[in-house]
Amino acid sequence: MSKAIAAVYVVAVLILMVAASRIGWLRCENFGCMGIGVAWFAWSMAFMPVLAVGAALRWRCALGPTLGKVVGVFLWVQVAVGVALLATWVARA
């Protein structure tokens, strides 16, 4: 079961990265860029549970050496992207 959850986690991280890229290319239209803010809010609300699942998988489950390394790499990539996006947001605010 944990291997299936690990596979779903990897796919979820990839989806989050694609979504962040797509949101980053959005341009303001009406309502003072409210749509972009809503999109980033939704992205951040998806980011946190995926991060929690990744952390739980990495430190609580026996995934085997290969899958454990893959989950670990994706966890660190997710953390790095989250920190980079947070730093960008703070710099622009």
Side-chain angles (χ1 to χ4, degrees):
M1 183 66 169
S2 61
K3 291 181 181 181
I5 295 171
V8 169
Y9 168 72
V10 168
V11 170
V13 171
L14 292 173
I15 290 170
L16 281 172
M17 298 310 111
V18 169
S21 173
R22 301 286 293 174
I23 295 170
W25 285 101
L26 288 177
R27 296 291 169 238
C28 295
E29 292 179 6
N30 294 329
F31 305 109
C33 301
M34 185 175 147
I36 295 173
V38 171
W40 279 119
F41 179 75
W43 184 89
S44 66
M45 291 297 106
F47 180 87
M48 294 309 292
V50 171
L51 183 65
V53 168
L57 279 171
R58 181 68 180 106
W59 285 292
R60 299 283 185 211
C61 295
L63 297 173
T66 304
L67 192 55
K69 287 180 185 177
V70 169
V71 168
V73 167
F74 273 83
L75 180 63
W76 286 112
V77 166
Q78 183 183 5
V79 168
V81 168
V83 168
L85 289 172
L86 181 63
T88 302
W89 177 68
V90 168
R92 289 183 181 177

